[in-house]
Amino acid sequence: MPSATHIASKSIISPRSVDDVRPLKVIGIGAGISGILAAIRLPRKLKNSELVIYDKNEEVGGTWFENRYPGCACDIPAHCYQLSFESNPAWSSFYAKAPEILEYWKRVADKYGVRKYMKLSHKAMQARWDESISKWIVTLQNIPTGEVFEDTADALFTGIGVLNEWKWPSIPGLKDFKGKLLHSAQWDESYDYKGSNVAVIGAGSSGIQIVPTLQPEVKRLDHYVRGRTWIATTIAADEVKKRNDTASNFDFTKDEIDAWLQDPTLYLSYRKKLEAELQSGHIITMKGSEAQKEARAFFTQLMKERLAKKPQVAEHMIPDFPPLCKRLTPGPGYLEALTKDNVDVVPTAIERITATGIETTDGKHREVDAIVCATGFDTSFQNRFPIYGIGGVKMGDRWKSRVDTYLSMMVDGFPNFFMSLGPNSGVGGGNLLMLIERIAEYIAQVLHKMQTENILTIQPTHKATQNFTDFCDAYFAGTVFSEECSSWYKGGTGKNGRVVAIWPGSSLHAIRTLAKPRWEDFQYTYVDGNEFGWIGDGWSTLDRLDDADKTYYLDNQQMIYQPLEERTQFEGLAGDLARTALNGKNGGMETGIIGPVTVMKSYASDFGSLSATIHGLVVSAILIPAAISSFFAGRVADLMGRPKGIAIGAFIFALGVALEAGATSIAMFVVGRCIEGIGEGLYLGILIVYICEISPPSQRGPLTSAPQFFITLGLVVGFFTCYGTARIDSSLSWRLPYIILACLSVMFSISSILFLVPSPRWLALRGRQAEAAAAWDVLGVGMAEREKAENQLSAEATAIEPVGLTNTTATPNHQELANPTRAQASRKFSFLDVFSKDVRKQTALAAFMMAMQQLSGIDGVLYYAPLLFEQAGLASAEASFLASGISAIVIFAVTIPALILSDKWGRRSSTIYGGLGLSFTMFLIGTLYALSLVHPTTGPARWVVIASIYLFAIIYCTSWAVGIKLYAVEIQPQRTRASATSLAHGSNWVANFAVALATPILLDRSTFAAYFLFGGCAALTAGVCAWVMPETKGRALGEIEAAFGRGEEGRGGGEKVLRRWVRRALGRLVPGGRS
């Protein structure tokens, strides 16, 4: 990658467009939480960039990969120890164990495709700033090969944590011990400590977890505790007490986890409750506060009660300094373990270690089989790999006198250098992960400014660095953190040392402070030495691109004659959705027209009487062309954009309807229906995708189901238009409904071109970021919803193809700079992507559900309603016609509450229970006919049939009509959403064709066969969905994709049940088989 160097500028005009993005290479050290977050945030914010992250370990995860000691866990609730934008509702226990936490971070890394930025098993040896080229030269060692090499970057960040540099404690004779010597940071998992005599040195966070884990397994445990420490109640202790007053942790039940997986809103409520408690204790840190006094009294009483069996231990352990002076540790089960008979707490200082045990200063010698060192970390921030700044100044040497930073992240004299979890970045209370998130975003903002404003180097001013450091000292003086105690908060500088490890304020204060940089606190140098070079050469990149949108600034216009009103969130979205969903009325109106039209006397007069087979062919002629065109709808939508695809489909639909209206022969009428089908297949598939993409997760159910509302409205309009025109004594009686429909379709096609906003997700996926931002503005969507969409797109884009230029020699041209995601945007998306390994499950499920939606028989009911009612005994054509119209009204009426409640019911439950209801009504009708209980003129059975037809329509419209089409769209990832949805719609059309063709034939030959067929299909669908269908209600699109990646099928693994049945069957069939 070419680099910018600081050279004297001969002109105030810089050879760059004002919106050019200069290439930037960034090196990171550490692939733990900070490194993973940086790999997520930086590529999303920085275009035309290269990122490489080195880590000494062979796996990502940082501290959670390294720490494997018995009992290693997080001492805050698992639901608080995760990213704000990546929730895991399936944590197995309240306090998660280290392996499960590591698995979470590995899954995050895999989901966002960040491993491609990682170079593992590479140790940083040193980093040096080269002033001659304004770059960082980083020396690294390939650990497996021993090779030492250098890498160069424009910017450097470290994310190596505070308690990362472990060491053996300085105790005489430590190396002379002949038993097993273990360190908590380098645990030998092969060692079997069961039944042994073990000594544990240290009562920090790791020692407090090791002791209660080893205690039940060992013969004797000597716990060497020289200092005093506060052992607090567990965070959110009420949650633990609810389960068991004596327990220190608990496992979540399967029902709880399933409920959270099914209902993300319920889960969010639980997570926020825990998070609120975590963030609410800042007042306790204030010196002399009533809250601090109450906390001290409470913890004193708590420790005495829990150590009541050994009061002498309480006397030694309860500190004389206030709580939170050193890190407050909940220590689930720790104090209880100290009271056990096989545990001795040794407060006496260690004199030396012998070959067989430990000798204390009082002369006592205790023989042990193993010694566990749960102490010995370098917390001085000075013993990391050396980093040399301007003038060769070594950061560690500078910090020997006073550790100083700017907002914990930067240091003057070290340009383009950033730290995550550097000095003064930890928390004394609150949520550390939220700070790490903000630090990553802050670094991304600074680097983005460098890229876009012609900046060569950036560093905080010396005054800003000293101001922050002085602020830290002044702030901590009023807190309990500065009280006299031995704490790693003080960086190993003694009981009265400066507090250098934690943030000077609450974690909420840090989150607010780090929201955006204060640019006046920085000093800069510039590419080509031109400090006004950001303005470029008078050109925009848009000027250099023939196909660029040069009028993007007009996308948010208002009319002068309209009153000035405050625009509320989603106001533009509501209008766009209404205009889009209205197109569903055309398809519904066509369905409402075709059945009544083909039984009109004037239609028969023009084209002759139709046999059951020909009648079925005429009605179903629309469906195969619709199926074929829907297969290509996704491709059209991806190439031309959603609004244009909708408009083209609507216009083709209008042409076909117009041809039907003017038909002079049955062949011409069928050709019109075929053309109409091509258009309907195009616009209906794209329509749902478009609405799904622009709808917020919290409202996606009702909004995406809005077309169904208009479809049912179209049914009513179509039925009653025909009911009115049937009284006209000419061919106009059947032609007029089609003339009206053709006019409406043309109007909608034109309005789609003029008024629909391009999908911001589609624009962003193609690298048109400025247009995507403008589209979000027009839609009135707030930043929180945009952030969710951008996170998902970032994850998907990085999973598909690295973003940025990796060629370090080629100079990027203006088009590359103008379109920073061109590498991603230029990727050729193939229709065959829908069958790729990572998405084929979603594709298959959507196609199956959409096909079975039609095989339930719904369009058999809608197309042939007059025929069904005549078969049930409504002999009068007018009565049958009217009954069909009433059916449409009933369907329309029940659709309204179904739309409103769609997100309350959920997709999965409505599909399963709806399928059972549909199968029941169909089986009931079929049984009545099969038993010859239905008579056209007498008996209650005919009214049961009529009522069941109404009930079938009601169940369908409140369940499958609303949920299945939405589900088929939202389970697809962005890159295949249009194509997979069009494939699913194609399967729907094919099934629709089969139903439309077969229904009149089956009804002509058997009174009950059609009903049993449809009922069986509905029952089959309910069973399959109960097995493999995860819930999507309320989830962001990215979360839904992750659910499929995790294999969240069904409630409890129908697949596992099936496998168990298969194994049992094989066990019975095969001699010696296992059951």
Side-chain angles (χ1 to χ4, degrees):
M1 178 176 292
S3 64
T5 55
H6 192 172
I7 59 174
S9 176
K10 298 180 180 179
S11 170
I12 198 169
I13 296 178
S14 287
R16 63 184 296 276
S17 299
V18 67
D19 46 2
D20 268 354
V21 179
R22 83 171 178 93
L24 200 70
K25 180 177 178 179
V26 183
I27 287 179
I29 307 298
I33 295 173
S34 295
I36 292 171
L37 265 168
I40 293 172
R41 295 297 193 193
L42 296 190
R44 182 174 63 86
K45 191 78 173 179
L46 307 178
K47 311 307 175 187
N48 195 21
S49 65
E50 182 182 352
L51 173 66
V52 58
I53 297 175
Y54 295 98
D55 194 288
K56 68 181 187 297
N57 296 323
E58 59 267 28
E59 179 58 281
V60 301
T63 187
W64 297 110
F65 173 77
E66 294 174 353
N67 286 282
R68 306 176 188 184
Y69 59 81
C72 185
C74 187
D75 56 14
I76 67 170
H79 294 286
C80 297
Y81 196 78
Q82 53 186 347
L83 295 172
S84 63
F85 55 90
E86 282 298 334
S87 289
N88 175 25
W91 290 108
S92 63
S93 58
F94 194 66
Y95 295 103
K97 299 292 192 295
E100 189 174 11
I101 297 172
L102 175 61
E103 187 61 29
Y104 170 84
W105 291 107
K106 288 163 65 177
R107 282 172 57 182
V108 169
D110 292 336
K111 175 177 178 178
Y112 285 88
V114 302
R115 289 182 183 272
K116 62 177 169 286
Y117 304 118
M118 311 290 190
K119 289 193 175 181
L120 304 175
S121 298
H122 284 74
K123 184 177 182 179
M125 308 297 288
Q126 75 165 26
R128 184 179 297 274
W129 176 254
D130 190 328
E131 296 175 61
S132 65
I133 58 174
S134 296
K135 288 185 177 294
W136 283 99
I137 310 297
V138 184
T139 304
L140 301 127
Q141 181 185 40
N142 184 319
I143 295 175
T145 66
E147 175 195 2
V148 176
F149 63 97
E150 290 183 344
D151 199 358
T152 306
D154 300 287
L156 171 68
F157 79 84
T158 61
I160 54 180
V162 182
L163 302 178
N164 182 267
E165 197 73 21
W166 72 275
K167 61 181 181 181
W168 293 107
S170 299
I171 302 174
L174 182 67
K175 300 301 182 183
D176 297 330
F177 181 61
K178 301 302 183 183
K180 184 65 176 179
L181 192 60
L182 299 152
H183 196 288
S184 59
Q186 195 75 5
W187 192 267
D188 182 355
E189 294 180 281
S190 67
Y191 178 67
D192 184 6
Y193 51 79
K194 293 179 181 178
S196 301
N197 295 318
V198 178
V200 178
I201 302 174
S205 297
S206 56
I208 286 172
Q209 292 182 337
I210 290 172
V211 167
T213 306
L214 264 57
Q215 177 271 319
E217 305 287 346
V218 300
K219 182 178 181 182
R220 191 187 86 246
L221 190 151
D222 297 330
H223 187 29
Y224 290 82
V225 185
R226 192 173 67 177
R228 298 171 180 264
T229 189
W230 288 104
I231 305 299
T233 182
T234 55
I235 296 169
D238 290 343
E239 290 295 315
V240 181
K241 285 183 179 180
K242 276 191 231 176
R243 314 301 175 112
N244 189 329
D245 276 343
T246 62
S248 55
N249 194 6
F250 65 86
D251 291 336
F252 293 106
T253 67
K254 181 179 179 298
D255 288 343
E256 286 176 309
I257 294 173
D258 284 346
W260 289 332
L261 291 170
Q262 301 279 335
D263 188 350
T265 304
L266 178 67
Y267 173 71
L268 178 61
S269 176
Y270 180 75
R271 181 177 177 182
K272 286 173 72 73
K273 175 185 174 183
L274 298 179
E275 188 83 7
E277 182 169 341
L278 186 67
Q279 295 282 24
S280 298
H282 180 61
I283 184 62
I284 300 175
T285 67
M286 295 295 102
K287 190 184 294 184
S289 67
E290 286 301 315
Q292 168 62 213
K293 294 175 183 177
E294 291 173 5
R296 185 166 190 163
F298 175 75
F299 292 145
T300 300
Q301 183 63 29
L302 180 73
M303 290 184 68
K304 286 182 177 180
E305 289 176 357
R306 293 168 67 182
L307 292 169
K309 292 181 180 179
K310 294 183 179 180
Q312 72 278 11
V313 175
E315 289 179 13
H316 168 68
M317 291 198 67
I318 296 176
D320 54 5
F321 52 81
L324 289 166
C325 179
K326 64 190 296 184
R327 188 177 187 274
L328 193 63
T329 309
Y334 173 67
L335 294 180
E336 289 76 8
L338 299 187
T339 65
K340 302 300 182 182
D341 293 337
N342 67 333
V343 176
D344 287 329
V345 177
V346 185
T348 313
I350 296 174
E351 178 72 27
R352 66 189 180 93
I353 293 177
T354 69
T356 59
I358 299 176
E359 182 181 320
T360 50
T361 55
D362 59 5
K364 290 185 178 180
H365 182 269
R366 296 173 176 82
E367 291 191 355
V368 290
D369 302 307
I371 296 176
V372 177
C373 298
T375 184
F377 286 89
D378 190 315
T379 59
S380 66
F381 294 99
Q382 296 179 26
N383 225 6
R384 309 294 196 272
F385 67 94
I387 300 174
Y388 301 91
I390 294 174
V393 174
K394 185 179 177 182
M395 187 174 291
D397 291 342
R398 167 172 168 162
W399 282 350
K400 285 181 179 178
S401 58
R402 188 189 194 210
V403 176
D404 58 345
T405 70
Y406 175 70
L407 300 183
S408 82
M409 292 181 292
M410 304 174 72
V411 183
D412 63 287
F414 293 79
N416 303 355
F417 173 73
F418 310 89
M419 296 174 287
S420 179
L421 295 184
N424 291 117
S425 62
V427 293
N431 194 323
L432 178 63
L433 289 189
M434 299 306 105
L435 264 72
I436 302 176
E437 284 188 25
R438 295 310 178 276
I439 289 170
E441 188 62 34
Y442 189 102
I443 295 172
Q445 291 180 66
V446 175
L447 294 174
H448 178 72
K449 183 179 179 71
M450 288 180 62
Q451 276 198 308
T452 57
E453 297 187 22
N454 207 42
I455 294 171
L456 182 65
T457 69
I458 186 170
Q459 60 179 304
T461 64
H462 180 71
K463 181 179 179 181
T465 303
Q466 296 312 306
N467 281 345
F468 178 72
T469 307
D470 292 342
F471 174 82
C472 289
D473 291 343
Y475 171 80
F476 287 124
T479 70
V480 295
F481 301 119
S482 63
E483 295 277 13
E484 184 176 338
C485 67
S486 294
S487 169
W488 64 265
Y489 290 167
K490 296 173 181 177
T493 57
K495 293 183 177 182
N496 293 303
R498 291 180 60 243
V499 179
V500 297
I502 57 175
W503 179 265
S506 68
S507 66
L508 293 173
H509 170 267
I511 290 169
R512 295 282 192 174
T513 301
L514 301 177
K516 58 182 180 180
R518 186 175 184 267
W519 299 119
E520 53 266 45
D521 286 346
F522 295 92
Q523 61 189 50
Y524 312 90
T525 64
Y526 299 90
V527 176
D528 65 28
N530 183 4
E531 67 179 86
F532 206 62
W534 65 268
I535 202 169
D537 57 3
W539 289 67
S540 162
T541 53
L542 299 176
D543 295 316
R544 292 182 162 99
L545 294 173
D546 293 335
D547 60 346
D549 181 4
K550 297 179 173 62
T551 61
Y552 65 90
Y553 46 81
L554 297 179
D555 291 341
N556 199 18
Q557 67 166 343
Q558 290 186 346
M559 297 300 178
I560 190 64
Y561 54 80
Q562 294 176 328
L564 184 62
E565 296 178 356
E566 183 177 352
R567 189 184 187 91
T568 60
Q569 188 179 15
F570 304 133
E571 179 184 334
L573 177 63
D576 219 45
L577 289 168
R579 288 188 290 269
T580 310
L582 189 60
N583 198 27
K585 180 177 66 64
N586 297 338
M589 188 172 176
E590 193 282 328
T591 302
I593 289 173
I594 186 61
V597 158
T598 53
V599 296
M600 286 185 184
K601 292 180 180 179
S602 57
Y603 186 88
S605 176
D606 286 344
F607 300 131
S609 180
L610 305 179
S611 67
T613 302
I614 298 300
H615 189 188
L617 286 171
V618 170
V619 171
S620 61
I622 189 176
L623 302 174
I624 290 300
I628 295 171
S629 67
S630 69
F631 287 130
F632 298 98
R635 186 64 177 163
V636 172
D638 283 337
L639 289 175
M640 306 184 67
R642 301 350 183 193
K644 289 181 180 177
I646 293 170
I648 291 171
F651 186 74
I652 295 173
F653 179 86
L655 290 178
V657 174
L659 193 60
E660 286 177 275
T664 57
S665 66
I666 193 68
M668 185 176 175
F669 186 85
V670 170
V671 169
R673 289 190 63 71
C674 290
I675 295 173
E676 178 187 332
I678 293 172
E680 190 169 1
L682 279 176
Y683 80 71
L684 270 185
I686 302 172
L687 190 76
I688 304 296
V689 171
Y690 176 71
I691 298 177
C692 184
E693 288 182 350
I694 66 175
S695 299
S698 58
Q699 304 172 47
R700 192 188 311 118
L703 295 178
T704 310
S705 302
Q708 181 63 28
F709 169 81
F710 287 104
I711 287 173
T712 58
L713 175 61
L715 276 172
V716 175
V717 172
F719 270 125
F720 282 95
T721 298
C722 292
Y723 183 68
T725 61
R727 304 173 188 278
I728 301 174
D729 191 20
S730 70
S731 66
L732 191 62
S733 62
W734 67 265
R735 297 182 191 274
L736 185 56
Y738 284 111
I739 294 172
I740 295 171
L741 180 57
C743 293
L744 291 173
S745 300
V746 170
M747 290 170 56
F748 183 82
S749 176
I750 295 171
S751 68
S752 297
I753 290 291
L754 295 179
F755 301 116
L756 293 187
V757 179
S759 165
R761 292 173 182 267
W762 178 81
L763 291 169
L765 197 63
R766 273 141 191 83
R768 296 158 65 177
Q769 305 295 338
E771 295 173 72
W776 285 126
D777 288 339
V778 174
L779 293 171
V781 174
M783 293 306 298
E785 296 293 345
R786 296 190 199 190
E787 180 80 3
K788 290 179 182 178
E790 289 171 0
N791 284 337
Q792 181 209 354
L793 288 170
S794 176
E796 234 175 75
T798 54
I800 298 169
E801 184 169 321
V803 177
L805 304 176
T806 56
N807 187 338
T808 58
T809 58
T811 302
N813 59 36
H814 285 290
Q815 290 193 359
E816 288 169 331
L817 294 173
N819 197 345
T821 54
R822 182 170 295 276
Q824 169 193 339
S826 62
R827 182 187 185 274
K828 299 299 183 183
F829 292 96
S830 166
F831 178 79
L832 295 179
D833 283 352
V834 300
F835 302 110
S836 59
K837 185 177 181 181
D838 60 325
V839 300
R840 66 176 63 141
K841 185 189 301 181
Q842 293 98 305
T843 302
L845 181 57
F848 170 79
M849 292 177 67
M850 287 290 283
M852 300 309 283
Q853 184 190 50
Q854 285 300 330
L855 290 174
S856 70
I858 182 60
D859 274 357
V861 171
L862 297 179
Y863 284 141
Y864 303 108
L867 189 60
L868 298 181
F869 283 111
E870 285 181 15
Q871 184 191 41
L874 292 182
S876 167
E878 185 172 293
S880 178
F881 210 124
L882 184 60
S884 302
I886 294 174
S887 299
I889 294 175
V890 170
I891 291 170
F892 174 69
V894 299
T895 298
I896 297 173
L899 295 178
I900 296 172
L901 299 173
S902 60
D903 269 339
K904 292 186 180 297
W905 292 342
R907 328 292 192 237
R908 185 174 186 274
S909 55
S910 67
T911 301
I912 295 170
Y913 294 127
L916 295 175
L918 294 174
S919 62
F920 171 77
T921 55
M922 288 288 103
F923 285 149
L924 176 61
I925 297 172
T927 301
L928 292 174
Y929 277 119
L931 297 176
S932 301
L933 298 176
V934 182
H935 302 286
T937 57
T938 61
R942 64 181 183 137
W943 298 110
V944 174
V945 169
I946 292 170
S948 296
I949 291 173
Y950 282 125
L951 181 59
F952 173 86
I954 291 171
I955 294 172
Y956 179 87
C957 289
T958 54
S959 58
W960 283 24
V962 174
I964 287 183
K965 284 185 180 179
L966 167 60
Y967 190 82
V969 178
E970 63 186 0
I971 64 175
Q972 309 302 332
Q974 178 67 39
R975 80 178 194 274
T976 60
R977 181 169 296 123
S979 296
T981 303
S982 67
L983 179 65
H985 274 264
S987 70
N988 183 276
W989 287 112
V990 171
N992 197 345
F993 172 78
V995 170
L997 179 61
T999 299
I1001 298 173
L1002 289 173
L1003 291 174
D1004 184 54
R1005 298 183 180 182
S1006 170
T1007 56
F1008 56 83
Y1011 299 106
F1012 282 126
L1013 172 64
F1014 299 148
C1017 290
L1020 173 65
T1021 306
V1024 171
C1025 290
W1027 177 30
V1028 300
M1029 182 182 181
E1031 182 57 80
T1032 60
K1033 178 187 68 174
R1035 290 182 171 184
L1037 295 177
E1039 293 172 351
I1040 296 169
E1041 184 179 353
F1044 275 90
R1046 293 192 295 266
E1048 283 179 23
E1049 288 85 22
R1051 278 185 179 268
E1055 187 175 355
K1056 294 180 181 177
V1057 174
L1058 181 63
R1059 287 175 179 170
R1060 188 162 59 246
W1061 287 348
V1062 170
R1063 285 198 301 270
R1064 288 177 179 174
L1066 289 174
R1068 294 188 183 100
L1069 292 172
V1070 181
R1074 298 165 67 181
S1075 59

